[in-house]
Amino acid sequence: MSYNYGQQYQQRAPAPGGIDPNYLMGIFQRIDKDRSGSISAVELGQALSNGTWTPFNPETVRLMIGMFDRDNSGTINFQEFSSLWKYVTDWQGCFRGYDRDNSGSIDKNELKTALTSFGYRLSDRFYDILVKKFDRLGRGTVAFDDFIQCCIVLQTLSQSFQAYDTDRDGWIQIGYEQFLTLVFSIKS
């Protein structure tokens, strides 16, 4: 069995660039409610919209802050925000491309299409698990913010697994303590 860890996803991951800095600074300043010069997870969560009139998932906000907080301050400065803005914008385009019925959420088949295009080869049973795990609203679908979280978690877990899969066959053999070390060392 060949296992490629969603490598196409890693190649398609959003990258910064091509955004008018003055426009972006205006957005940054509107989000930075306390005028601290950086954006907290609370401020970012209040500013983000997933397009369904529900608050952005706080766990997704936390994961994104963690991804872009290069100075480990717990907040994001303007430069870090610029990268995050590009990332979220690219994810919106990706999400809309897989939301074939324009419902504002993706179902199991749309999720499968998206993750397959990223290079993941997973069972239908596993897609059922993913939808159940990332469906906060109980509708059998995954909203935009939860889709981002799903992809981040899947990539993080895949990278951790890959570190142990030295022969790249999709199988690892590890002891219990190694497993615990693997799980607890995952940065999220």
Side-chain angles (χ1 to χ4, degrees):
M1 174 182 192
S2 171
Y3 194 76
N4 64 9
Y5 310 104
Q7 290 171 346
Q8 291 175 9
Y9 162 75
Q10 294 168 10
Q11 293 167 357
R12 292 178 54 179
I19 303 167
D20 177 14
N22 294 327
Y23 171 74
L24 206 51
M25 179 55 85
I27 293 171
F28 180 84
Q29 290 171 340
R30 284 193 298 276
I31 295 171
D32 182 17
K33 300 282 189 207
D34 65 1
R35 303 289 178 239
S36 64
S38 61
I39 296 173
S40 69
V42 170
E43 290 170 323
L44 184 62
Q46 291 170 345
L48 290 173
S49 169
N50 64 18
T52 60
W53 302 103
T54 57
F56 218 78
N57 185 330
E59 179 62 16
T60 305
V61 173
R62 189 187 69 74
L63 284 171
M64 290 190 312
I65 291 274
M67 288 173 62
F68 291 94
D69 179 18
R70 303 288 181 235
D71 61 1
N72 295 316
S73 64
T75 60
I76 53 173
N77 61 32
F78 178 70
Q79 182 178 357
E80 294 163 340
F81 175 74
S82 297
S83 297
L84 178 115
W85 178 267
K86 175 74 169 119
Y87 183 82
V88 171
T89 302
D90 286 350
W91 273 116
Q92 279 180 320
C94 175
F95 182 82
R96 287 181 183 138
Y98 294 109
D99 180 16
R100 303 227 192 273
D101 60 0
N102 296 314
S103 65
S105 61
I106 57 174
D107 62 23
K108 175 184 162 183
N109 290 329
E110 292 166 330
L111 181 63
K112 182 177 181 176
T113 300
L115 295 180
T116 300
S117 76
F118 296 161
Y120 291 102
R121 304 293 177 257
L122 306 166
S123 70
D124 279 343
R125 182 175 172 267
F126 189 74
Y127 284 107
D128 290 333
I129 292 169
L130 285 176
V131 169
K132 186 174 183 176
K133 170 76 176 163
F134 294 100
D135 173 18
R136 282 186 304 141
L137 303 175
R139 295 186 284 181
T141 61
V142 179
F144 171 60
D145 52 342
D146 298 316
F147 174 71
I148 294 173
Q149 183 183 351
C150 174
C151 292
I152 292 170
V153 169
L154 189 57
Q155 180 186 23
T156 302
L157 292 173
S158 295
Q159 288 171 337
S160 297
F161 183 92
Q162 186 176 12
Y164 285 91
D165 186 15
T166 55
D167 60 359
R168 303 292 183 254
D169 67 353
W171 293 91
I172 62 174
Q173 184 171 359
I174 59 176
Y176 180 62
E177 191 168 327
Q178 284 177 300
F179 170 74
L180 291 175
T181 301
L182 170 70
V183 171
F184 286 114
S185 66
I186 293 173
K187 185 178 184 246
S188 57

